[in-house]
Amino acid sequence: MAFEQGQSYSEMLISKSLKVHSSPMLKKIQYRLKENIEDQHLVKSLYQTSGNQAQAAKLLYVHRNTLLNKIKKIRAEIWSAAYGK
């Protein structure tokens, strides 16, 4: 089933766990990923490179510092939206 949709087994597990587990943080992450294509590409590139930010930046054709700034911005926005801080 997962392979028919072009997902790896790990991607399928992650998407199912996001649907099953509920917390303010996970809900914000799920919503943001559904709404923002750029964030989807960022997460996918980090997943493909096993979290290697330098390699993920190359996949996205951006400088590593740009990628780090985007990650920090996303983290701050999700955290403040989920917990109001």
Side-chain angles (χ1 to χ4, degrees), residues 2 13-14 25 30-31 53 69 85:
L13 285 177
I14 290 169
M25 183 69 76
Q30 183 181 24
Y31 175 77
Q53 294 171 348
N69 288 333
K85 295 179 183 176

Side-chain angles (χ1 to χ4, degrees), residues 17-63:
S17 67
L18 281 174
K19 291 176 188 173
V20 172
H21 299 292
S22 80
S23 73
M25 183 69 76
L26 283 177
K27 286 182 182 182
K28 291 297 175 183
I29 292 170
Q30 183 181 24
Y31 175 77
R32 184 172 180 122
L33 287 175
K34 283 183 180 178
E35 298 296 317
N36 194 323
I37 301 293
E38 185 178 338
D39 291 354
Q40 291 175 18
H41 291 300
L42 188 146
V43 170
K44 188 172 183 176
S45 67
L46 285 167
Y47 175 79
Q48 290 174 337
T49 61
S50 301
N52 186 312
Q53 294 171 348
Q55 289 179 355
K58 286 181 184 179
L59 284 176
L60 295 170
Y61 300 103
V62 297
H63 192 274

